[in-house]
Amino acid sequence: MDPTLAHAATGSSVLDVFVAVSVAVLAFIGCMLFFCISQLTAQANRTLTAYERLADTLDREVVPTVVEVREVMDGIKRLPNVAGARLTEVSHQVENVAGSVGVAAGQAKKQSSVFGAGLFAGLKAYLSGHDDDDIDYPAKQLSEARGESNVKLK
């Protein structure tokens, strides 16, 4: 045999093994790529489904939420007017109560001064030792007839 031919046959078998290993690695990488793409496709499908649900929810909920926000804003706009009216009512009631308290305080002051004057006069009379029995009051004679002539005594 020719040495070049033997060398060529040996080189050819090494080349055949290298090609076979390369094809096997390429097939393995292809399988892995297919598996990754299938997982990626499933995740993309779930993501798109979630986006569709979100869009449906927004379509259903945005209009009622905007209506509620508008109602709240209208309530907030009315709040200063209502608060002003309530404040006016409270101030009038406070004025009424203050007037009533002033009247009650004046009456209490007057009554306490009358009571104090009476108590002082009584204490003064007691301490002076003056009896009311010793004072001679002149007897008063009624100048008019009391109608005794019309009364029949038995």
Side-chain angles (χ1 to χ4, degrees):
M1 253 206 12
D2 190 9
T4 55
L5 205 55
H7 181 56
T10 310
S12 166
S13 69
V14 170
L15 187 61
D16 288 341
V17 170
F18 179 72
V19 169
V21 169
S22 297
V23 168
V25 168
L26 191 59
F28 178 75
I29 290 174
C31 290
M32 294 299 294
L33 185 63
F34 178 76
F35 177 73
C36 289
I37 288 175
S38 67
Q39 293 293 325
L40 185 65
T41 304
Q43 182 62 39
N45 188 19
R46 288 192 297 266
T47 302
L48 289 175
T49 304
Y51 281 138
E52 288 175 356
R53 287 183 191 160
L54 178 62
D56 291 341
T57 303
L58 288 176
D59 286 341
R60 281 192 321 265
E61 298 296 328
V62 166
V63 174
T65 303
V66 169
V67 169
E68 288 179 17
V69 167
R70 188 172 295 144
E71 289 174 2
V72 168
M73 293 302 292
D74 290 341
I76 289 173
K77 287 178 184 176
R78 286 184 297 215
L79 188 62
N81 296 334
V82 172
R86 296 288 186 226
L87 187 62
T88 303
E89 289 177 21
V90 168
S91 66
H92 287 306
Q93 290 177 355
V94 166
E95 288 173 2
N96 291 341
V97 169
S100 299
V101 167
V103 169
Q107 289 176 350
K109 183 178 178 183
K110 187 188 301 182
Q111 289 176 355
S112 66
S113 65
V114 168
F115 179 74
L119 186 65
F120 181 69
L123 186 61
K124 184 177 176 182
Y126 177 76
L127 292 176
S128 68
H130 191 259
D131 285 335
D132 286 338
D133 295 338
D134 295 340
I135 300 175
D136 290 331
Y137 290 107
K140 291 185 181 179
Q141 180 67 32
L142 294 175
S143 61
E144 293 182 24
R146 296 185 297 184
E148 294 170 350
S149 60
N150 296 329
V151 178
K152 295 181 183 178
L153 296 173
K154 290 187 182 184

